[in-house]
Amino acid sequence: IPASLEIKPEDPPEVVAKKRKKIKSIKNQAHKAEQADKADEQRSNWHSFVNKKGKRMDKLTRNNHDPLFDPERDHQEMARRYRTPARPRETW
């Protein structure tokens, strides 16, 4: 905050109100700039996280299937076992 905006005891009430208004706008601009910098940092962190290649993602994309998938297992039987039973239809 500049020294010219410091409120002095001899300032009239109108000048004090104007100075307070200017001080508030300067603080608000500084806060918005700080928030924008923080948002940019978070955005860059997120982009670097998303674009980073890990071992598991490499396996998934390279083989185009889940590495934990077992072809010998009967997956349809398991799906039937854990599927919730169908509710009976209501008749009019």
Side-chain angles (χ1 to χ4, degrees):
I1 299 174
S4 63
L5 291 180
E6 288 182 11
I7 298 172
K8 299 173 185 154
E10 63 269 2
D11 285 340
E14 302 86 30
V15 174
V16 170
K18 284 184 180 181
K19 285 184 177 182
R20 283 194 176 139
K21 200 173 202 181
K22 287 183 181 181
I23 289 171
K24 187 173 182 179
S25 73
I26 289 172
K27 286 183 177 180
N28 195 13
Q29 286 175 351
H31 179 70
K32 285 185 179 182
E34 183 181 323
Q35 292 296 321
D37 291 344
K38 187 177 178 183
D40 288 342
E41 181 183 348
Q42 287 178 340
R43 189 177 303 115
S44 67
N45 287 344
W46 175 251
H47 283 302
S48 65
F49 171 75
V50 168
N51 294 331
K52 154 175 82 170
K53 291 192 174 191
K55 290 181 180 179
R56 180 161 170 76
M57 289 306 293
D58 257 357
K59 281 184 182 178
L60 285 174
T61 55
R62 185 177 62 232
N63 297 332
N64 291 328
H65 74 280
D66 184 8
L68 302 176
F69 181 78
D70 183 12
E72 303 296 321
R73 194 175 194 177
D74 183 12
H75 294 279
Q76 292 301 321
E77 189 273 327
M78 289 184 67
R80 280 191 298 272
R81 185 183 320 159
Y82 293 111
R83 188 177 302 145
T84 57
R87 286 186 283 164
R89 281 191 171 174
E90 293 182 15
T91 56
W92 294 95

